[in-house]
Amino acid sequence: MAPNLLILGGTTEATALARAVAEAGIAGMVSFAGRVDRPVRQPLPQRIGGFGGAAGLAAYLRAERITHVVDATHPFAAQMSRNAVAACALADVPLVALTRPAWAPVQGDDWLRVPDIAGAVAALDQPARRVMLAVGRMHLADFAPNPQHFYLLRLVDPPKAALPLPKTEILVSRGPFTEAEDRALMETHGIDLVVSKNSGGTGAYAKIAAARDLSLPVIMIDRPEMPERAEVATPAEVLAWCHGADLGV
Ligand code: NAP
């Protein structure tokens, strides 16, 4: 049977995979959660919105005759990744995750590693700082216990509701950004602390390199636990897997 992929997307890596899949002439669908107003246009057909948990995704896989699922979601999208594992088991469809290694500190980095968002909030229980808060729109309200700080927020879409943070500046723009741009941004806003998820990959790394250039501390949020699953690092490995290559897992 010819491959018919479902790519769980929402990342730069998923878009790159979709391009490779389209160029290889393989059929596929890219799925978005619908968190941003205008998702990046894909070189494959796309659908938007949740499936309704693992059972809903399993039903979708059967209905659409999906032969392979690629979880190319963000490393912090743990619920979707758990659902993908469960749904593929239910529907007996093979699954692979397209992942990127976590960032590791290099010389000159000044990181405080915390296990999760709550850990970052706890670490911000300190006198007022000027913080670049790079955690995405969904988690901003979690930082309400620390209203003393100025927060620089860079978001893909403007917030839909008022934020519980009294001192913020919001920049609406979509990455990737360069190290020089992020250094200039931090200097312009007098940033003295950066909070970031450990996303890994290149697309979001500029702010980490810029913080190092400026000798700024970074509160680095570790990734959530992921379920056990086959993982690959490149679109080429995904294509080979679609054509029957054994991933050795
Ligand atoms: P999540 O907490 O793991 O997922 C929550 C629910 O959203 C899922 O159970 C599923 O709903 C739906 N969902 C998530 N990803 C989906 C997808 N690609 N297609 C269809 N439904 C999806 O996910 P999240 O952290 O909110 O991330 C949502 C999306 O944003 C993901 O696609 C991710 O790649 C992207 N993203 C996330 C981050 C981040 O920091 N978390 C950063 C950049 C991009 P149902 O249970 O109804 O199926």
Side-chain angles (χ1 to χ4, degrees):
M1 200 189 339
N4 181 25
L5 263 70
L6 175 66
I7 300 173
L8 301 170
T11 58
T12 309
E13 288 74 10
T15 301
L17 172 64
R19 199 174 307 119
V21 167
E23 282 168 5
I26 296 174
M29 172 71 73
V30 180
S31 176
F32 292 110
R35 300 278 189 267
V36 299
D37 290 346
R38 287 177 300 110
V40 175
R41 193 176 290 266
Q42 301 292 305
L44 288 174
Q46 60 195 63
R47 64 166 298 287
I48 298 181
F51 297 96
L57 176 55
Y60 177 92
L61 298 179
R62 292 193 195 100
E64 298 298 321
R65 298 182 184 281
I66 300 295
T67 61
H68 297 72
V69 176
V70 185
D71 180 356
T73 57
H74 191 272
F76 280 73
Q79 185 61 53
M80 187 68 251
S81 293
R82 282 194 292 270
N83 291 355
V85 169
C88 287
L90 281 171
D92 197 21
V93 175
L95 166 75
V96 75
L98 178 63
T99 59
R100 32 182 155 154
W103 297 320
V106 299
Q107 194 172 6
D109 279 330
D110 175 9
W111 290 10
L112 173 69
R113 289 181 58 178
V114 294
D116 49 22
I117 295 276
V121 174
L124 283 170
D125 183 9
Q126 55 173 293
R129 308 282 294 261
R130 294 185 65 83
V131 181
M132 181 170 178
L133 183 60
V135 295
R137 184 162 51 96
M138 308 293 289
H139 290 288
L140 296 177
D142 295 350
F143 289 81
N146 294 309
Q148 70 276 27
H149 304 300
F150 163 83
Y151 292 103
L152 177 63
L153 309 172
R154 188 165 55 190
L155 305 172
V156 176
D157 298 307
K160 305 270 188 282
L163 293 175
L165 303 170
K167 289 179 270 179
T168 57
E169 177 153 348
I170 297 167
L171 304 174
V172 176
S173 64
R174 194 196 293 260
F177 305 98
T178 66
E179 185 178 331
E181 284 167 342
D182 277 3
R183 196 173 49 226
L185 185 70
M186 290 174 194
E187 285 179 321
T188 304
H189 290 85
I191 296 302
D192 58 22
L193 177 63
V194 175
V195 180
S196 174
K197 292 176 172 173
N198 193 333
S199 299
T202 53
Y205 189 69
K207 59 183 174 288
I208 307 304
R212 179 166 62 241
D213 291 347
L214 296 171
S215 302
L216 299 184
V218 175
I219 296 176
M220 184 64 80
I221 304 168
D222 280 342
R223 296 169 170 208
E225 282 283 314
M226 282 294 163
E228 205 168 310
R229 67 230 169 127
E231 296 187 358
V232 295
T234 63
E237 289 169 280
V238 174
L239 295 185
W241 173 68
C242 290
H243 289 121
D246 187 358
L247 298 176
V249 287

